[in-house]
Amino acid sequence: MLRATLKSHTPAVKSLRKTLVIYVVIGTLLPLLLVGVVTYSSIYSILSGKIGNGISASLRQEAVSLENAVDNLDFASKQFALDGQIVEEMSSFLQEKQIYRKSQIMNSINQKINLVNFTNPYIGLTAYIMPGSDDPVLFTNMSTRRNFDVSSLPTFMRYNGADYYGPHNTMYAVGDNLVFSEQRIVRVTGQQQLYIYLETNYSLLRKIFNQEAYGMKVNHLLVNQQGNITNVLDGKLPAQIVKAAGGSSTRTHEELGGYHLFRYESPQGWKLVSVVKKSVFNSEIYSWFYKMILLALSTLGFAGFLAWLIWKRIYGPLRKVNLEIIRMAENVTAPVSFTNVEEFDFVLSNFQQMKDQVNELILAVARNEKQKSQFEIEKLLSQINPHFLHNTLNTVQWLARLNGQKEIDKLVTLLVKVLHYNLGKQSIIVTIGEEIEAIRNYMELQRIRYDYEFEFNVQVDEAVLLAAVPRFLLQPLVENSIYHGLSDNGKVDVMITAHGTAEVQLCVIDNGAGTDPEMIEQLLSDNGAKERGLGIGFSYVTRMLRTYYGEQMTLLMDSKPGEGTTVTIIIPRKNKEDFDD
């Protein structure tokens, strides 16, 4: 009964090959399907937005070019109609009776017309006209048609005091290009009604409305200032689209009757509309969709072949990796045998590195055991040497007292205290009171050494005397003040105060020679400070502060050449038990 129970709970054995084929097919097709489904809407939005933005940008560029063409006509017409000299000459021409004088004025006017046209390359036909007369064209830079009649031209807008027409066929006698034209009245002396007539360059509209700028088939509709006339510039469109383009809608983009309409409303009063068929607009989206279907079908056929190929490439190396794992348990020092497959060889390489590290650790443990006794001896010697030095100094101290050498007695007493603090076995964490006592002894030694050439003052807030700090925090700072900052009549001040409720501020101030910013940066760096005498240097201070306070501490140095140096440390206020010494 027990055997039957165990057999019934034995897990069914599955073929790795079948599992691999299923996983590869699912892993290949499912992400593709999910990506296709999830990203279709995004791709549609991105592509339609890209195409729409491209059409809008091209439309805006065309409209700006057309606005510039209108502005060029406006500028040139004002030269002809408002310039005092040419208006005066036109008035004189109309009133002059002498043929010779009239011909002279005519030559001058023609020269001015040619000059203005030469300096305005976007201007085409230019003419002074008198509507209603037998020959309405007085002056022109090109020959005009015999049936020249501005009143028959399609009205476009009125802008800056002038009437604009178009687009229409040019009035140039031998041309048939579409142009825009302008007519502006010229205020001459007398009762005559004189106008200046200007057309855009014969090829300007063809350059402005260029299909290549869109990369697809686009129709243009131009709506005049009144909004009741629509001009189809290229091709034919359904009547409802033409009507909608000329309507009062202010939407910059809309879909209507299988077309996309993009509008631009000019501040000059007219509208330009680009019309694109939906099939043309969505051509890139359709192309992406067909490619995704083709990719899915190709992936389905490739997945099976890929699964079989992976199986062949995995099974053999996998057995070899398993063999190396077994060998590793039996013989740690034996080198691994690689499979010539990069991924498996990478795993085997890590196994080899692990073997090497295990062997190195075994050797390291053996070396450490041999060195352990040597370390114990060195530790004992490091304790004996300070002890011997203290005993020797105590002997010197008693001899000085017996012989009445008070100064030597004082000097040795201070030195013993300094050595006891520096070389003693007490904790690395001390109170500010202990640090101040040690620095006073050290500075008294320095004053004796320098024959009392400098003053030393300590001001400590009693509220922070029991706050804990690392040992030797102040000694390197005052030591640098003595060695690098002081001269005759020098002064070193140590000020320790509470900084807020949770911090302590320690300042070392001297009135020495000061230093430059480059030297300050060097001193504050880890390798910039040099050890001198009993001091440990700025490198010790910075490392100690970073070790015990991290980002909670602040170390500042303010110095100017000739004005002294101030070193400020701001640290959190802690007790001894707050440190893990």
Side-chain angles (χ1 to χ4, degrees):
M1 184 68 181
L2 180 60
R3 293 180 180 178
T5 304
L6 291 174
K7 185 176 180 180
S8 64
H9 286 83
T10 301
V13 178
K14 296 181 180 179
S15 171
L16 177 60
R17 183 183 301 175
K18 293 181 180 179
T19 304
L20 184 61
V21 170
I22 295 173
Y23 285 175
V24 169
V25 171
I26 294 176
T28 305
L29 291 181
L30 184 59
L32 182 63
L33 179 63
L34 292 176
V35 169
V37 171
V38 172
T39 61
Y40 177 75
S41 59
S42 299
I43 292 295
Y44 182 87
S45 176
I46 292 171
L47 290 178
S48 60
K50 182 194 74 172
I51 298 170
N53 292 336
I55 293 175
S56 298
S58 298
L59 176 66
R60 190 178 299 108
Q61 184 176 0
E62 290 176 342
V64 170
S65 298
L66 186 56
E67 289 174 348
N68 291 336
V70 171
D71 289 334
N72 288 332
L73 288 177
D74 179 67
F75 176 74
S77 66
K78 288 178 180 178
Q79 288 182 289
F80 288 115
L82 302 179
D83 182 79
Q85 184 178 1
I86 193 169
V87 173
E88 183 179 351
E89 288 184 347
M90 287 301 303
S91 299
S92 301
F93 175 81
L94 295 175
Q95 296 176 4
E96 184 62 47
K97 302 299 183 180
Q98 295 183 5
I99 296 177
Y100 175 73
R101 176 59 184 161
K102 207 166 189 176
S103 64
Q104 287 182 328
I105 297 174
M106 183 183 300
N107 290 333
S108 176
I109 293 174
N110 284 327
Q111 289 177 359
K112 289 181 172 60
I113 291 175
N114 292 331
L115 177 62
V116 174
N117 276 269
F118 178 77
T119 56
N120 292 273
Y122 297 104
I123 304 300
L125 176 64
T126 303
Y128 279 101
I129 60 175
M130 293 182 64
S133 61
D134 295 336
D135 186 6
V137 180
L138 298 182
F139 297 95
T140 181
N141 63 334
M142 300 178 183
S143 58
T144 60
R145 297 182 181 181
R146 293 182 179 180
N147 59 343
F148 187 97
D149 185 8
V150 177
S151 62
S152 64
L153 300 179
T155 301
F156 184 55
M157 66 174 178
R158 183 163 182 81
Y159 177 66
N160 284 351
D163 295 316
Y164 289 83
Y165 307 93
H168 61 83
N169 290 329
T170 178
M171 288 296 176
Y172 180 42
V174 294
D176 59 353
N177 294 288
L178 287 178
V179 296
F180 280 89
S181 61
E182 175 195 6
Q183 177 179 273
R184 182 184 294 275
I185 190 170
V186 182
R187 307 293 182 182
V188 294
T189 305
Q191 301 299 321
Q192 297 92 338
Q193 293 291 324
L194 181 65
Y195 296 89
I196 181 68
Y197 174 83
L198 298 172
E199 289 182 355
T200 57
N201 187 288
Y202 71 95
S203 62
L204 183 60
L205 287 187
R206 186 169 65 252
K207 293 179 180 179
I208 291 177
F209 302 107
N210 187 2
Q211 290 287 338
E212 296 179 358
Y214 291 88
M216 62 180 67
K217 174 64 177 176
V218 177
N219 296 101
H220 295 88
L221 296 97
L222 193 62
V223 183
N224 67 2
Q225 194 174 45
Q226 289 74 27
N228 54 7
I229 298 177
T230 303
N231 298 286
V232 181
L233 299 178
D234 40 20
K236 295 183 179 180
L237 292 171
Q240 61 172 348
I241 302 301
V242 176
K243 183 178 179 181
S248 59
S249 175
T250 58
R251 297 174 60 185
T252 58
H253 176 220
E254 67 175 334
E255 296 183 26
L256 180 65
Y259 289 86
H260 287 269
L261 278 70
F262 295 86
R263 293 185 179 86
Y264 176 87
E265 186 170 354
S266 173
Q268 295 175 348
W270 48 270
K271 296 179 183 178
L272 182 61
V273 183
S274 291
V275 181
V276 186
K277 279 188 176 182
K278 278 189 176 180
S279 58
V280 176
F281 185 87
N282 295 330
S283 59
E284 289 191 32
I285 299 173
Y286 295 154
S287 176
W288 174 86
F289 184 72
Y290 297 144
K291 290 178 181 178
M292 287 295 294
I293 294 177
L294 180 61
L295 179 61
L297 295 176
S298 301
T299 303
L300 181 61
F302 181 70
F305 172 74
L306 183 63
W308 176 81
L309 187 63
I310 292 175
W311 164 255
K312 297 293 289 183
R313 293 291 292 172
I314 287 178
Y315 183 68
L318 189 60
R319 292 185 60 187
K320 186 172 287 188
V321 170
N322 184 52
L323 181 61
E324 289 298 331
I325 294 174
I326 296 174
R327 290 179 57 195
M328 178 180 177
E330 297 174 353
N331 189 353
V332 179
T333 60
V336 298
S337 177
F338 292 99
T339 63
N340 295 325
V341 178
E342 181 179 355
E343 289 74 15
F344 287 101
D345 286 348
F346 176 75
V347 175
L348 292 174
S349 177
N350 288 336
F351 273 115
Q352 184 62 55
Q353 291 181 7
M354 185 173 63
K355 285 184 178 182
D356 296 338
Q357 290 176 357
V358 169
N359 292 331
E360 290 177 0
L361 289 174
I362 293 174
L363 295 176
V365 169
R367 288 195 300 268
N368 290 338
E369 289 296 328
K370 293 180 181 179
Q371 294 175 353
K372 185 177 181 180
S373 59
Q374 181 179 354
F375 290 156
E376 292 294 334
I377 295 173
E378 291 179 355
K379 181 179 179 181
L380 181 60
L381 290 175
S382 65
Q383 295 174 353
I384 294 174
N385 289 336
H387 181 70
F388 173 76
L389 183 59
H390 277 287
N391 290 338
T392 303
L393 289 174
N394 284 333
T395 302
V396 175
Q397 181 182 13
W398 282 107
L399 288 175
R401 289 179 181 177
L402 291 174
N403 293 307
Q405 299 291 334
K406 295 182 179 180
E407 293 183 355
I408 296 177
D409 180 23
K410 177 182 178 182
L411 181 62
V412 174
T413 301
L414 291 173
L415 181 57
V416 168
K417 290 181 179 180
V418 170
L419 289 176
H420 180 75
Y421 185 77
N422 287 2
L423 303 178
K425 300 178 183 179
Q426 62 265 42
S427 170
I428 192 65
I429 302 301
V430 298
T431 64
I432 290 179
E434 293 172 337
E435 181 75 2
I436 289 301
E437 181 181 359
I439 201 64
R440 278 180 172 148
N441 293 331
Y442 172 75
M443 291 303 292
E444 187 63 24
L445 280 176
Q446 294 290 356
R447 294 185 69 206
I448 294 173
R449 175 185 174 186
Y450 289 100
D451 197 18
Y452 298 94
E453 292 180 352
F454 64 90
E455 296 182 10
F456 176 69
N457 300 310
V458 178
Q459 296 182 13
V460 185
D461 189 346
E462 292 185 359
V464 299
L465 283 175
L466 296 179
V469 295
R471 278 203 301 169
F472 307 121
L473 192 61
L474 294 177
Q475 182 173 309
L477 303 181
V478 297
E479 188 176 31
N480 275 279
S481 296
I482 296 173
Y483 288 139
H484 304 292
L486 295 182
S487 57
D488 295 340
N489 300 319
K491 182 179 180 182
V492 179
D493 294 327
V494 176
M495 301 177 63
I496 304 177
T497 58
H499 189 266
T501 58
E503 292 181 321
V504 179
Q505 177 173 293
L506 303 93
C507 295
V508 177
I509 306 168
D510 66 62
N511 63 347
T515 186
D516 52 38
E518 293 182 358
M519 181 61 68
I520 292 176
E521 183 177 357
Q522 181 182 3
L523 287 173
L524 291 176
S525 65
D526 287 340
N527 299 321
K530 297 180 180 179
E531 298 183 3
R532 305 183 69 171
L534 293 174
I536 305 195
F538 267 91
S539 60
Y540 168 82
V541 175
T542 55
R543 285 198 302 270
M544 190 66 68
L545 290 173
R546 290 171 184 169
T547 299
Y548 285 96
Y549 300 104
E551 299 297 329
Q552 295 179 326
M553 70 85 182
T554 302
L555 176 60
L556 303 173
M557 178 180 286
D558 183 17
S559 179
K560 294 182 180 179
E563 297 184 9
T565 302
T566 299
V567 179
T568 303
I569 299 174
I570 300 176
I571 54 176
R573 184 187 297 187
K574 295 184 179 182
N575 298 322
K576 280 189 175 183
E577 54 269 19
D578 296 331
F579 289 90
D580 184 15
D581 185 11

